[in-house]
């Protein structure tokens, strides 16, 4: 958990991630921790429980079953690995599109 929060705090778009996570879009809430985890060197296990605790640390209530369900219902955005879920290229694109709605440093859409 500390690694994910550290990755968020050191990311230049920290506030955009938090703003996106406060929206009612359960898919983006589920993908943001996976997005941050992909930049970490360590093999970090990201489960629905990790996702729930991550958002809880940021003051956003997000139950673990909702995180798991969002990824199940939206196939292709994450894939199963030995260490839980990992974000796919499609998931990365989705998160970046959502971030572009919240920041001044948005890329062209």
């Amino acid at each position: 958990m500390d690694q994910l929060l550290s990755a968020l705090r050191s990311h230049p778009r920290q506030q955009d991630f938090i703003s996106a996570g406060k929206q009612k879009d359960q898919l983006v809430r589920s993908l943001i921790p996976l997005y941050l985890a992909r930049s970490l060197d360590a093999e970090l296990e990201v489960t629905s429980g990790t996702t729930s605790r991550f958002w809880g640390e940021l003051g956003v209530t997000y139950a673990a079953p909702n995180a798991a369900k969002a990824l199940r219902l939206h196939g292709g955005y994450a894939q199963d690995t030995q260490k839980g879920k990992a974000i796919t290229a499609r998931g990365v694109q989705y998160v970046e599109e959502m971030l572009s709605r919240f920041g001044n440093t948005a890329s062209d859409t």
Side-chain angles (χ1 to χ4, degrees), residues 12-31:
R13 299 198 63 193
Q14 172 185 0
Q15 289 306 315
D16 296 339
F17 281 114
I18 294 170
S19 295
K22 289 183 178 180
Q23 303 306 304
K24 294 196 182 275
D25 184 332
Q26 292 189 348
L27 180 58
V28 80
R29 282 187 193 167
S30 296
L31 290 173

Side-chain angles (χ1 to χ4, degrees), residues 50-100:
T50 306
T51 300
S52 176
R53 287 188 304 278
F54 172 82
W55 287 113
E57 291 287 328
L58 299 171
V60 177
T61 302
Y62 190 44
N66 292 340
K69 182 179 179 183
L71 294 177
R72 241 187 353 265
L73 292 177
H74 298 89
Y77 291 91
Q79 62 188 11
D80 290 320
T81 70
Q82 291 179 334
K83 291 283 188 176
K85 296 281 188 183
I87 196 166
T88 63
R90 184 176 178 192
V92 168
Q93 180 181 6
Y94 186 78
V95 170
E96 290 176 351
E97 286 173 2
M98 288 301 293
L99 291 177
S100 71

